[in-house]
């Protein structure tokens, strides 16, 4: 069986890398690109041309679904379009595999219920890197014993949401192990607003945005007389491709939507 894949965001850096990676697998075929422009044109790398040997571009999801009949929508766009694209995909029985961060907790809950009610498999993965997911799992396990935690996540300066989906997902995973409490001195004061970062369940999150970075995160776990640092660095977008392939194959066997790649990593 060949898995038919439509990609939203196929001309972006992640999308371009995904197209290249997926064409290497005999059981997968990229059949369409969903974009905001270029109807009738074809994707070749990061460019749109009239060369029909490329991937056909659609600006209308209904037309894409009816003409190309994909099994999977690989969603790699931006937070302002991902929810609507997921909803439309599920309506057609197309399984969403989502690497776009920025969805709110409420949106994740709503789209999960919608997918499960329609028995359509899917996955929302804040990070497709296997190493990053292991970093999150290890940090969550360690927080049972070292419960004072701060997270520093660093990304390129074109990332538009902060904190990252990886950082907030890390907190969600840690909350399953760590007893909730407020960290630091009870009379702590910020002389500059934001100096201590954001706070979720008492865990401090700090976001760095600089050119030259890709995706990096370190989790600092402190206790009396010691510090454990768990860090992951992504240096090239190729590191996300094995996770994307794993997710695509996995959701073909599912009839519910899951949040986080850790659910399919043994």
């Amino acid at each position: 069986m060949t898995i038919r894949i439509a990609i939203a965001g196929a001309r972006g850096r992640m999308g371009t890398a995904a197209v290249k990676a997926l064409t290497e697998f005999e059981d997968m075929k990229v059949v369409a690109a969903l974009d905001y422009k270029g109807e009738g044109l074809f994707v070749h790398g990061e460019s749109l041309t009239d060369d029909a040997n490329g991937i056909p571009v659609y600006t209308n999801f209904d037309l894409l679904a009816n003409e190309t009949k994909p099994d999977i929508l690989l969603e790699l766009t931006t937070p302002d379009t991902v929810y609507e694209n997921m909803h439309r995909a599920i309506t057609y029985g197309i399984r969403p595999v989502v690497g776009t961060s920025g969805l709110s907790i409420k949106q994740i809950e709503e789209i999960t219920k919608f997918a499960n009610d329609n028995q359509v498999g899917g996955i929302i993965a804040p990070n497709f890197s296997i190493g990053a997911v292991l970093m999150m799992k290890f940090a969550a396990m360690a927080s049972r014993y070292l419960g004072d935690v701060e997270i520093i996540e660093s990304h390129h300066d074109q990332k538009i949401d902060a904190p990252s989906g990886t950082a907030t997902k890390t907190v969600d995973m840690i909350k399953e192990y760590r007893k909730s409490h407020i960290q630091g001195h009870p009379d702590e004061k910020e002389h500059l607003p934001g100096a201590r970062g954001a706070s979720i369940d008492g865990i401090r999150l700090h976001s760095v945005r600089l050119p030259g970075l890709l995706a990096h995160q370190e989790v600092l776990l402190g206790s009396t007389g010691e510090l454990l640092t768990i860090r992951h660095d992504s240096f090239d977008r190729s590191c996300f491709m094995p996770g994307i392939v794993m997710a695509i194959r996995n959701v073909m066997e599912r009839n519910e939507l899951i949040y986080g790649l850790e659910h399919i990593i043994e």
Side-chain angles (χ1 to χ4, degrees):
M1 173 187 172
T2 299
I3 304 172
R4 299 173 62 82
I5 304 164
I7 300 181
R11 291 190 301 116
R13 292 179 180 178
M14 269 287 285
T16 301
V19 171
K20 181 180 178 182
L22 296 175
T23 55
E24 297 178 0
F25 295 91
E26 293 183 357
D27 63 335
M28 298 184 186
K29 182 179 181 181
V30 180
V31 297
L34 181 65
D35 209 324
Y36 69 95
K37 67 176 183 179
E39 184 79 34
L41 298 176
F42 300 84
V43 173
H44 292 268
E46 298 181 24
S47 302
L48 293 177
T49 76
D50 58 2
D51 182 353
N53 291 316
I55 301 166
V57 175
Y58 292 83
T59 57
N60 182 288
F61 191 92
D62 298 320
L63 192 61
L64 180 153
N66 289 317
E67 289 192 355
T68 66
K69 303 189 184 309
D71 302 300
I72 297 284
L73 173 68
L74 178 57
E75 169 54 67
L76 302 172
T77 58
T78 57
D80 58 338
T81 60
V82 59
Y83 184 85
E84 182 179 354
N85 289 343
M86 288 182 69
H87 197 280
R88 288 183 175 181
I90 293 166
T91 300
Y92 279 95
I94 301 169
R95 296 166 171 84
V97 173
V98 180
T100 305
S101 61
L103 286 166
S104 67
I105 294 174
K106 181 179 179 182
Q107 286 178 317
I108 292 171
E109 291 174 347
E110 289 175 350
I111 205 67
T112 298
K113 183 178 186 303
F114 184 62
N116 295 350
D117 288 347
N118 285 274
Q119 296 187 318
V120 176
I123 183 169
I124 301 171
N127 200 314
F128 278 117
S129 162
I130 305 298
V133 175
L134 292 173
M135 172 266 296
M136 291 187 276
K137 289 171 72 76
F138 297 156
M141 293 167 60
S143 69
R144 173 179 288 173
Y145 307 99
L146 303 171
D148 280 16
V149 184
E150 301 219 6
I151 297 172
I152 304 171
E153 58 93 353
S154 305
H155 284 78
H156 55 87
D157 61 345
Q158 298 304 302
K159 185 172 178 60
I160 61 176
D161 59 309
S164 68
T166 299
T168 55
K169 179 61 175 175
T170 304
V171 173
D172 289 341
M173 294 171 65
I174 287 174
K175 285 165 64 176
E176 297 180 16
Y177 291 85
R178 170 187 175 272
K179 183 178 179 180
S180 178
H181 65 278
I182 301 301
Q183 301 175 174
H185 195 285
D187 296 326
E188 179 181 81
K189 292 182 175 61
E190 285 185 320
H191 294 294
L192 287 175
R196 290 288 292 118
S199 177
I200 303 179
D201 203 46
I203 298 172
R204 292 290 181 172
L205 280 72
H206 310 268
S207 296
V208 177
R209 298 291 179 266
L210 287 172
L213 299 176
L214 180 55
H216 316 265
Q217 179 169 296
E218 58 182 327
V219 184
L220 309 178
L221 302 104
S223 186
T224 303
E226 63 180 332
L227 173 71
L228 172 63
T229 301
I230 302 175
R231 181 181 176 100
H232 178 265
D233 296 280
S234 296
F235 300 111
D236 188 272
R237 287 174 177 82
S238 60
C239 75
F240 304 120
M241 299 308 121
I244 288 176
V245 172
M246 179 188 297
I248 288 172
R249 288 180 173 150
N250 185 273
V251 300
M252 291 298 294
E253 307 298 324
R254 291 184 176 272
N255 56 12
E256 78 283 345
L257 188 142
I258 57 176
Y259 176 48
L261 202 65
E262 72 275 6
H263 295 295
I264 63 176
I265 293 180
E266 297 295 335

